[in-house]
Amino acid sequence: MATRQFSQIVDDAIQQLAATSNISSLGRGAKARSILEIMGGEIASAYRSVNNDRKDTSPSSAKDQSLDLIVDLFNIERLRRTKASASLSDLNTRFFVDSSIGTFAGLSAVPSITAGSKIYTQNLSSPIIYLVTSTIGTINPAASNYYVAVQAAQAGSRYNVGRDSLTVHSFSIDGLQCTNKFPVANGRDDESNDQLRYRLFNAVRSLEAANDKALFIAARIVPGVGDIKIMPRLFGIGTAAILVRPVMGSITPPSMIHAVRSSVSSILPSSTRVIVTQPDIIGFEFEIVVNYKKAMTATEKSMIASKIISRVSRYFSRFTFGDSVSFGDIAALANQADDRIKTIGRERGVLGRAWIYTSETAGKYDSRHREELMLTPNTYNYSTQGHAFPILEESIPFPVKIVHGTEG
Amino acid sequence: MPRIYDRTDYFFSYDGDFAVGPDKDIMDTSYDPLRAAHQEILSRIRSDKGDWVYNPAIGATLSRFVGMPNTQETANAMRQAMLASLQYDNTVDISDVKIQIVPVAFDMVAIRIELAYIRTRQNANSSPVTLTFLYDYQDNNVYPIENPGYSVN
C-alpha cells in the first residue's frame, strides 16, 4: 500500500472540491480548506498507521519487538548480550608468582583467591573489570601459578579483552601477578535487527528445503532402513518425529537411528527439532460382539466368525505403523460379513473392548501391562501415533476375538 | 491597482459556526463574492500563530500586545503584525489594505481594516470589505463590531 502524504491528500481534495463545487477560496486559512486539512490529517494518520503495521509485519522492515514476534513463529530467538568468560578448563587466566620470587611460599602473604575476586585491565581511567568465578582452595606453597575461571563484570562485546590484558588484581601482595594467555572474546552484544533478519531468512530458506518430502528422502536413503514415518508436531510446533523401522527384524539398531539423524540434520533449519527414534512396539487385540437375527448353530457361528476375521484381517493388512485404527470401520466390516448378523456391540453405544499391550518380554506380551479401551462411538479412533501397529507375537494368535452375543 | 478578491468559501459566522444554506447544503459565500476575503481577514486578526494546526504561521498574534502601553509605537507594531499575517500565503496584497488604529480608551483601541478591490459585475452589490474591531490591552480580546450587512440569522 503506497503511503499518501498529508499534502497529497489535501491537494487532491482541494482539486476535487474546486472541480465539483463553487468553492473557489481554497488558500491557507480558508474555511473549506480547513475542513479538508482536518480530514486529510486524519486520513494521512490512518495511512501512516497502516503503513507502520505493514512494516511491523514484514520481516524485511520489522524491527525490535515486532521482529522478535515474527522470528518467534520460526522458533528463533534474538540472541541476547552475554558476558565474556573463560572457564577453568580453558587454562587461560591465571595468578602467578613473579619469577624472581618463584613460588607462593615466597610471597609476603597468602592470597585468598575466591569467586568474586576482581582483576582488571591496565587502563587506569576506565579499566575493564573481570570477576573470578572459581575459588582456589588451599594454596600449595610450592606452586607458582593457579588458573582461575573469570567472567566480565558487564555484558557486551566492548568488555572483551585481548591476550595479556587482565594484568591488574585487587590483592596488595608484591610479586603476585595475573594475566590471560588468550583473548577473552566471547562476550556478545544483543543481536541487531539486521543480524536477526539475516538468520531468519537463512532459516526460512532451509525450511523450504526441509519439507516432509525432503525429510522422507533423507531418512529413507539411509542403508538398512525399511520404512519411516514422519509424525509432524509430535512434540509441539516446530517439532517432528521420524520413526524408523529396519528392513530386517523389528528392532531398529541405534547405529541406524544415528545415521538417519545425521542424514536429516543436513537439511534441517535450526528452528526445527526432529526426533529420530524407533517406534514402540505394542500388542493390540480386541473383541467384537456379534448379535444375530435368529438362533444360530455352533457351526454357523463359527463360519460367520471366520468371515469376520477374514474381513478384519484384510483391513489390517493395509496398515503400516503409525496409522490410526477406526473401530467404526471395523464394526461396519464385521456387520457386513453376513446377512444373519443383526448388530455389532455388547450393549447400546458400546461396540466392544480392546486392549493395548505396552510391555513385551522376550517376544511375548505381558498381560499385566495392558490397557483396556471401551470402544464407544466417541472413542472410534485410536491413534497408534508413535507405535508400531500391529505387530503380532505368537502369544496372541490373532488380535480379533469374536464373542457371540444375542440371538433373535 | 487593487486585485480582484471575488471568491467563494464556506460561510463562517462571527461566532465561528458554519450555517445551512437555502439549498439545505452547507452554506457558502456565493451570495457575496467579497465575503470570503472578509472572513479570512477576520480569522487572521483573531488568531494567534499556532492556532491553526495545519497552518501554524497563520495569525496576527495580537495577544502579544497585552499589557503594552496604548501608544503610537504599539499601534504601529500591531499594524505590522496584522499586515504580515494578511500577507501570508498571498491572501491579500498589503498595498490593498488600509489599517487605522485609534485609541478609544485608556487601554483600548479601535482597529479598522479596509480592503481595496476591483469592482466586478459580481461584487457590484457587495458590502465593502471593512472590518472594525476593538482591542483591549488588558484582557487580550478582539471584539469585532459586526457589519450589519453580514449578519446571518
Side-chain angles (χ1 to χ4, degrees), chain A residues 131-300:
Chain A
L131 300 174
V132 174
T133 54
S134 60
T135 296
I136 300 173
T138 307
I139 286 183
N140 180 358
S144 61
N145 76 92
Y146 276 98
Y147 284 97
V148 290
V150 293
Q151 186 179 57
Q154 288 170 288
S157 62
R158 63 184 292 242
Y159 301 103
N160 292 342
V161 293
R163 57 177 293 189
D164 296 325
S165 301
L166 299 169
T167 54
V168 182
H169 57 73
S170 54
F171 300 102
S172 301
I173 301 175
D174 288 342
L176 179 65
Q177 297 188 21
C178 62
T179 191
N180 55 309
K181 286 166 65 179
F182 312 109
V184 186
N186 54 359
R188 196 177 57 209
D189 298 320
D190 282 343
E191 190 173 27
S192 71
N193 288 323
D194 284 341
Q195 290 167 333
L196 181 56
R197 208 173 280 130
Y198 180 74
R199 206 152 57 86
L200 171 66
F201 290 156
N202 277 342
V204 171
R205 270 200 289 273
S206 301
L207 271 178
E208 289 170 1
N211 52 29
D212 280 1
K213 192 173 180 183
L215 276 181
F216 182 86
I217 293 169
R220 193 69 179 76
I221 58 172
V222 173
V225 171
D227 196 6
I228 65 130
K229 186 87 178 178
I230 297 173
M231 316 290 288
R233 297 177 293 283
L234 193 60
F235 305 105
I237 293 171
T239 70
I242 298 179
L243 307 179
V244 182
R245 280 189 64 198
V247 176
M248 303 289 289
S250 58
I251 305 296
T252 311
S255 59
M256 186 180 293
I257 299 287
H258 181 73
V260 171
R261 192 177 294 140
S262 297
S263 179
V264 298
S265 66
S266 62
I267 61 163
L268 281 179
S270 59
S271 57
T272 302
R273 196 162 64 94
V274 172
I275 309 295
V276 181
T277 185
Q278 68 165 344
D280 293 333
I281 299 171
I282 59 168
F284 186 77
E285 68 174 332
F286 59 97
E287 67 173 26
I288 296 176
V289 180
V290 183
N291 302 307
Y292 302 99
K293 291 177 180 172
K294 58 182 182 180
M296 307 288 284
T297 66
T299 309
E300 287 173 327

Side-chain angles (χ1 to χ4, degrees), chain B residues 72-93:
Chain B
Q72 185 64 43
E73 287 74 25
T74 308
N76 287 337
M78 290 175 79
R79 182 181 291 107
Q80 289 306 314
M82 288 187 278
L83 286 173
S85 169
L86 295 177
Q87 193 182 18
Y88 175 75
D89 201 34
N90 200 25
T91 301
V92 298
D93 191 331

Side-chain angles (χ1 to χ4, degrees), chain A residues 1 17 33 41 88 121 145 172 191 205 279 289 345 347 383 408:
Chain A
M1 180 178 180
L17 186 65
R33 183 188 179 110
L88 204 51
T121 57
N145 76 92
S172 301
E191 190 173 27
R205 270 200 289 273
V289 180
E347 55 194 79
S383 170

